[in-house]
Amino acid sequence: MSDDEKTTGDPLGFLKLLPGSESIPVLEKAIDVPPGFLTSMWSEPSDAFLIVKAHAVFESLLNQLIESLLPAMKGFAWRLAMTGRASKPAFVRHIALLEPDELRFAEGLAEIRNRIAHVPRELAEYSLLKAAKTDEKLVSWLVAVSPESSFSKADHANVVRENPRLFFCLNSYFYMWRFSAQKAKARAMQSGRTDELTDELSDVWGPK
């Protein structure tokens, strides 16, 4: 089987591994994307566009998280980048809104997306399967953010190298649920913390 066949064959096969994958419409509603969007995204034959679309979902989720907790700052989150010191992940780290592995996923996804999104050749030709053969940083990220498994670290890395798209899709599915749960938590926290956090953060992150 060729690299291309292994990359694009049965693009939704990973859904068979998921408990409750029939609830994808529930997830789409929770993360505020149109019906059918996630199935379409995971069916995307281009790995580059799969990554770009996943990045757009998680960037939107970070915006929703920030605004759910701090509605007074509505519109502010959308101006933050996804990487750097004044980024969305850095912002949510400052207010302890996400778990460390959730932040690691968002930051790693942003780094990969930035690596390919501005280079036409990468957009046209990028392959997770080919990249995983030489890009240890990609493999390490996919292993680090994967849900706990019975694999040893070395075995896990080898499995990821053989199936990077599968693990990318599984991880994106997993963290979409995690981020949607954090959004619900942020909304529950909002009434008691908005004033305190808005005062604290306006000095650090407010528009200059």
Side-chain angles (χ1 to χ4, degrees):
M1 181 179 291
S2 71
D3 284 353
D4 288 342
E5 289 172 327
K6 290 173 71 176
T7 301
T8 61
D10 192 17
L12 295 181
F14 85 99
L15 293 177
K16 301 169 187 173
L17 304 176
L18 300 176
S21 60
E22 68 279 357
S23 61
I24 285 178
V26 178
L27 176 59
E28 289 176 327
K29 185 175 181 179
I31 64 175
D32 195 26
V33 298
F37 180 90
L38 294 181
T39 300
S40 173
M41 183 186 83
W42 286 315
S43 299
E44 172 60 62
S46 162
D47 285 352
F49 284 102
L50 167 67
I51 291 166
V52 169
K53 290 176 181 179
H55 179 274
V57 171
F58 282 97
E59 181 168 17
S60 176
L61 276 169
L62 283 170
N63 292 333
Q64 294 172 45
L65 272 166
I66 294 168
E67 293 180 354
S68 292
L69 187 60
L70 299 166
M73 301 182 76
K74 187 174 180 63
F76 165 71
W78 295 87
R79 298 201 298 270
L80 297 175
M82 282 291 284
T83 56
R85 292 180 61 191
S87 65
K88 292 178 178 71
F91 185 90
V92 296
R93 179 184 291 111
H94 185 78
I95 59 178
L97 193 54
L98 292 178
E99 298 296 327
D101 63 323
E102 294 166 344
L103 283 167
R104 191 179 304 122
F105 178 85
E107 291 172 333
L109 176 58
E111 183 175 333
I112 293 169
R113 179 264 182 191
N114 286 347
R115 198 183 310 161
I116 65 176
H118 306 295
V119 182
R121 181 176 294 277
E122 291 282 16
L123 282 173
E125 300 177 358
Y126 184 83
S127 162
L128 281 165
L129 187 62
K130 291 177 182 176
K133 293 178 178 178
T134 57
D135 188 348
E136 284 303 312
K137 192 171 185 180
L138 168 66
V139 173
S140 295
W141 172 69
L142 286 170
V143 169
V145 299
S146 294
E148 187 175 339
S149 75
S150 58
F151 290 121
S152 69
K153 189 170 183 179
D155 288 342
H156 197 166
N158 288 331
V159 172
V160 166
R161 286 188 190 94
E162 290 296 317
N163 304 276
R165 183 181 174 111
L166 170 67
F167 278 85
F168 181 88
C169 291
L170 284 170
N171 288 341
S172 65
Y173 175 87
F174 177 70
Y175 284 99
M176 283 174 194
W177 279 113
R178 290 273 300 270
F179 276 50
S180 67
Q182 292 287 23
K183 184 172 71 169
K185 179 181 174 183
R187 285 175 174 167
M189 295 167 60
Q190 182 268 325
S191 58
R193 296 189 64 192
T194 297
D195 293 341
E196 173 189 345
L197 281 171
T198 300
D199 289 345
E200 174 189 351
L201 293 168
S202 61
D203 291 337
V204 179
W205 297 89
K208 302 298 182 185

